[in-house]
Structure formats: C-alpha cells, structure tokens
Amino acid sequence: MNRSARAFWLRSPGRGELRDVTLPEPAEDEVLVRALYSGISRGTETLVFRGGVPESQRAVMRAPFQEGDFPAPVKYGYLSVGVVEEGPAALAGRTVFCLYPHQSRYVVPASAVTVVPERVPAGRAVLAGTVETAVNALWDATPLIGDRIAVVGGGMVGCAVAALLARFPGVRLQLVDAAPARARTAEALGAGFATPADALGDCDLVVHASATEAGLTRALALLAPEGTVVELSWYGDRTVTLPLGEAFHSRRLTVRGSQVGTVSPAARPGRTYADRMALALDLLADPALDALITGESAFEELPSVLPELAAGSLPALCHRIRYTKDRPEPGRE
C-alpha cells in the first residue's frame, strides 16, 4: 500500500506550505485514514496562523495530533473526516471523524476516530468539533425551557450554539451579530436575529462568541438581574476590558468561562469525551447545520486560502477543504 501523504504546515506566522509525508505501517490497534474533507476552525486557526497564541497558553492550545510548536513551524488543525483504508474489521471502510490536522492521509490509534452515522454526510461531519464545543457550552450554561436567550457573535461556534438552542421549547432566542447578512444564517438555523443595537434585553442567559471586547460588553448589557454570560471566545494574546462597575454588582451578574478541553461538570456523571463527540455527530443529522459551511476549496489551495481567511478578505463560518478531485454528490460522500 502507498505510504505517501501531504500535510499543511505553518512555516512561519502568516506563511503556510504543503509538505510530503511518509506514513508508518499501522499497528494492530491503529487505522490508516484517507481524508475526504477537513474544516478550518476560523477563529482559532487564523489566530494560530498569525502567530497569536500566547506563550503561557501554548501547552493548553496544543491539538491532539499537532506536530511542531507554536508559533511555528507547526502542523495544526482538528476537523478531519475520512475513510478507514486499513485497520480493525469493525472500522475498515467506515467514514470517521478525527481531531487531526489538514493532511491527505494519516495513521492514528483506532480509539482516536469516531464513526460518522450513515445519516450524516461526510461533508457536514467536519462540523463535529464545533458542535461538540456547542454541546459542552450548553452543558455549562444549563438553559431552561422558557428562558430569554441571546447568542452574541454569529461566527462558527456562535451559530452552532444557536442551532442547538433553537431546539429548546419555549425559549426566546436571538442570534446577535454586527453583520446584517447573518440574519439569513439565523433564519436557516431556526433562530431570531438582531444587530447589537436592536437586540432584546432582560436575558436570563447570553452566550458570547464574538471574540470582541464590544461584544462581551454588549452581552453583559443584555442580561436581566441574576443573569449569566457564558464566555466562549478565545482572545489569544489580546487584553479585554469589561465594565464591572456601575450596576454589575447590584444586578448580581455572572460571567462564566466555557472551554471544550474539559467535559463540563454539569454533564451527567460519567460522560466522557467519546460520549460528547458521539452526541455531536448524532446532532449533525440535522441538514439545517449545512448553513455553517460557507465555502470550499481544494487541499492544494490551502496555503493561499488561510491568508485570505486571516485577513478577512474571504468571509466564512466554516471553510471546508476538499481532498478528492471530483465533487461527490451531496449526501453521497
């Protein structure tokens, strides 16, 4: 079997390249995966691309199969979907999701892949890591039936959170974003929409995912007394200032961090990382989540695509990378 592959590496901040890789022979408890798609987690990966991971957070920010170190050279990424070409009989030929960087083929422990349900197209399954983040955030947030909720920040993570919250009965839900064009995405996900100036206040819960100081300040302003902001944004090496004077204390507001690196303690006892990922993939059976995939490029174009994403000249929620030369029929990957 051919053991060659190609991988995307960040050569230096702002400069990426494709490198040839020779794969090892899979051991009995390993699988060889041929990539079909990978997804670019725009917020985190563009921060990595520009070299913005703070030195104090470089160990925490390591991806499961990362090679190299921050700021560069480094091979980074964690949204890969492919087909098992070699491995245990139970996995051979199955479509799987893996937290692996952008690479055409790779060898990992069999325990590192999760089978994609047959009702979930491979092209949509690249969202599994993002939906997993949303699941963990909602375990942290513990929304209730009838809650008044806003999601501030209509990026990839914010939209995933809104998509899941739209399934809660009786909630008043708005996706809040400065870009009016995001209203179409909110509608596709089943959520209301508002610009920051027009957002409804008196919220019991606000999930903040804009990664901006202005967004977090607005999230606090939207809360009702005793309300909570669940903070999902990753600011990297930026400093954020918050208005914690005035009525912050008298209204007894809460700001709580949520991060996918730990399974939320609010989840049912015994829930594991594998359980959370399996749930995320199951939730991806909903075709409404296709609204989060806003562009696609061939793997060979990745060195030029990431600079455009980092600069904002290529707007995107999830930008999908395609490894096959021909486009498969939708739902038939």
Side-chain angles (χ1 to χ4, degrees):
M1 167 94 45
N2 181 10
R3 299 293 177 203
S4 64
R6 301 197 82 197
F8 176 79
W9 278 75
L10 179 63
R11 179 180 179 180
S12 61
R15 297 183 62 187
E17 64 184 9
L18 299 181
R19 297 183 181 181
D20 292 328
V21 178
T22 300
L23 303 176
E25 182 82 21
E28 289 186 5
D29 59 347
E30 292 182 323
V31 291
L32 170 63
V33 178
R34 172 175 56 85
L36 297 173
Y37 298 99
S38 59
I40 298 174
S41 182
R42 187 173 179 270
T44 303
E45 290 198 54
T46 56
L47 185 145
V48 170
F49 186 76
R50 68 176 179 82
V53 178
E55 187 172 355
S56 65
Q57 296 298 302
R58 289 176 183 175
V60 176
M61 284 292 295
R62 287 192 68 87
F65 294 100
Q66 174 180 325
E67 293 183 38
D69 297 301
F70 300 121
V74 64
K75 183 175 76 174
Y76 192 81
Y78 45 82
L79 301 173
S80 180
V81 176
V83 174
V84 175
E85 291 190 320
E86 295 182 45
L91 291 173
R94 303 293 298 274
T95 300
V96 296
F97 176 86
C98 185
L99 296 168
Y100 203 87
H102 306 285
Q103 186 165 309
S104 61
R105 298 163 80 229
Y106 48 89
V107 174
V108 293
S111 59
V113 302
T114 303
V115 174
V116 176
E118 291 186 5
R119 63 187 178 279
V120 178
R124 191 187 305 152
V126 296
L127 297 170
T130 305
V131 174
E132 182 190 21
T133 300
V135 166
N136 207 61
L138 294 184
W139 282 345
D140 281 333
T142 61
L144 299 175
I145 292 174
D147 271 357
R148 299 158 297 181
I149 305 173
V151 178
V152 176
M156 191 172 168
V157 172
C159 284
V161 171
L164 299 190
L165 282 170
R167 305 178 184 200
F168 277 69
V171 301
R172 188 195 78 187
L173 173 64
Q174 284 191 319
L175 178 66
V176 180
D177 197 270
R182 197 65 77 218
R184 185 177 303 174
T185 306
E187 181 181 6
L189 298 174
F193 176 80
T195 60
D198 297 329
L200 297 173
D202 291 323
C203 291
D204 305 292
L205 169 67
V206 178
V207 179
H208 179 244
S210 81
T212 66
E213 182 177 304
L216 183 52
T217 298
R218 185 60 178 144
L220 281 169
L222 294 176
L223 288 176
E226 305 283 351
T228 298
V229 168
V230 173
E231 174 61 280
L232 284 178
S233 298
W234 167 242
Y235 297 94
D237 55 0
R238 290 175 290 153
T239 299
V240 175
T241 302
L242 285 182
L244 300 184
E246 300 182 347
F248 177 81
H249 286 282
S250 63
R251 297 172 66 216
R252 295 174 56 85
L253 305 182
T254 298
V255 179
R256 179 174 184 177
S258 177
Q259 207 272 343
V260 73
T262 300
V263 174
S264 171
R268 295 294 183 186
R271 288 287 180 94
T272 65
Y273 292 99
D275 293 332
R276 192 177 64 184
M277 179 58 74
L279 174 59
L281 281 163
D282 188 63
L283 291 168
L284 279 165
D286 186 352
L289 288 159
D290 285 333
L292 274 65
I293 300 172
T294 53
E296 181 178 287
S297 300
F299 175 57
E300 292 75 15
E301 300 174 283
L302 188 51
S304 61
V305 166
L306 260 172
E308 294 180 29
L309 288 171
S313 59
L314 180 62
L317 290 175
C318 176
H319 193 85
R320 188 168 60 195
I321 300 302
R322 183 182 71 254
Y323 291 79
T324 54
K325 292 183 179 179
D326 299 321
R327 293 177 180 268
E329 297 178 28
R332 297 288 300 277
E333 294 94 341

